[in-house]
Every structure is written in C-alpha cells, then in structure tokens.
Amino acid sequence: MTIGAFDGVHRGHQELLRQTIAAAQQRGLPAVVYTFDPPPKVYFGQAEALNSLAEKLERIATFGPDHVIVADFDRTYIRRTAADFIAELERLHPHEVIVGEDFCFGSCKSGTALLLGQHFNTRILQPVRCSDGEIVSSSRIRTLRRSGLAAAAASLENWKDVLTAPSATLSNLARLRVANQ
C-alpha cells in the first residue's frame, strides 16, 4: 500500500507507485493506492490542483494497481486524528506501507512516516531529485508553471515516458471511497 496526495502524479509519486506495485506482485498481494480528493494543500487553499481527480486516477491506473482508495478530504475528514487514521489502516491489513519521507497525516499533520513505522511495516522512500539535484515535488511543478517554464514542469511530471509503458484501465481498477466517520 502507498499513501499520498498524488497531485500531478509526478516522478516522485511514480516511484512510490512502482515500488508499491512491485512489492505487491512479489508477495502475490493486491497493490493498493490511498489518496485524497481534493489534495490537502488544495483543500486548505495553499495551492491549485495540478490535475483533476479523473486525470489523477487515469495516471495512477497506468501503473496497474489493484485498488485505489479515494478519501473525501473535507471538514469531517480533517478532524481525524493520527490515531483515527492508523485505526483505519489497521482495518485494511497492509503488509507494507510505502510513503515519502515528508508524508504526514491526522489533524494538524500530527502523524508522520516515523509514527506509521511504529504500527506497520513501513518503507520510507527518499525524495526523487531532478538532474540539477532539486527535489521533484508538486510545489516545484506549480512554481515552474507560474514562471512560464512549462517544459521544465513537464519533465518533472514525466508523462511522455510513462505513457509508453503498459497500462491498466480505470475499468479494471476497483475504486473505493472512504466513508467519513
């Protein structure tokens, strides 16, 4: 299982997806992607979404996960504590949780990747860096787009190369929604 906003499904997200799907296939388990709609930064007005939910799901589907869980990130969801999130994940029985090192969860970002590691077999991936050494991130892509550097932003998203890989389709993908509690 991997968890994240996956806004833009850029090169860093793609590495999370590849590692998660490879680990699941190696173990003969379903690969699960847990994401949020809208992405937290978008909900809190700190950023504009890089793509729609439909486009995000299409991009995720190209990697071939078995299930995608989309949590409705709303007023109810943001009140959930880190313990609430961990309890939800426990009900999913993940064999391994793969996240980026900056992953946070729970109200006020009270949960970290290290906290996840206290409850689950957790693999924390180092950030993916571009050729000039900077971290690939949704925020960096937004900055490049605003600066008129669309080609540089597109290189961080990496969709030209990904689209040549074999893909799954959304119709084959079980999509679940998390009910707010």
Side-chain angles (χ1 to χ4, degrees):
M1 166 185 275
T2 188
I3 309 166
F6 296 102
D7 190 18
V9 195
H10 58 62
R11 287 175 43 201
H13 301 139
Q14 292 165 25
E15 185 60 23
L16 283 169
L17 293 165
R18 280 187 198 95
Q19 297 257 349
T20 299
I21 290 159
Q25 289 173 343
Q26 184 178 22
R27 293 180 177 103
L29 298 170
V32 178
V33 177
Y34 187 115
T35 191
F36 309 93
D37 182 47
K41 282 187 179 180
V42 173
Y43 177 84
F44 289 113
Q46 299 167 340
E48 292 181 21
L50 290 174
N51 51 22
S52 67
L53 175 62
E55 186 176 5
K56 175 178 16 180
L57 293 174
E58 286 175 18
R59 288 180 174 192
I60 289 170
T62 64
F63 291 87
D66 298 291
H67 305 285
V68 175
I69 299 170
V70 179
D72 291 320
F73 200 85
D74 59 17
R75 265 192 306 191
T76 303
Y77 195 90
I78 66 170
R79 287 187 243 134
R80 298 174 64 172
T81 65
D84 293 336
F85 188 73
I86 287 169
E88 177 186 337
L89 292 184
E90 286 173 344
R91 290 191 298 273
L92 297 172
H93 306 289
H95 188 274
E96 180 179 40
V97 179
I98 303 173
V99 293
E101 70 176 5
D102 63 346
F103 178 69
C104 296
F105 59 95
S107 62
C108 300
K109 298 182 178 181
S110 57
T112 64
L114 294 175
L115 178 61
L116 265 184
Q118 294 174 15
H119 298 271
F120 305 99
N121 176 22
T122 302
R123 188 178 346 158
I124 302 170
L125 297 188
Q126 295 299 307
V128 170
R129 296 181 181 274
C130 58
S131 58
D132 66 6
E134 289 196 47
I135 293 173
V136 174
S137 70
S138 301
S139 297
R140 183 150 186 259
I141 291 167
R142 284 184 194 91
T143 299
L144 290 169
R145 285 181 178 180
R146 279 193 304 270
S147 300
L149 300 169
S155 73
L156 299 184
E157 291 179 284
N158 194 44
W159 279 100
K160 188 179 355 175
D161 294 337
V162 169
L163 293 176
T164 62
S167 66
T169 63
L170 274 180
S171 61
N172 295 338
L173 199 58
R175 184 168 161 234
L176 310 170
R177 282 245 195 255
V178 173
N180 288 322
Q181 300 173 346

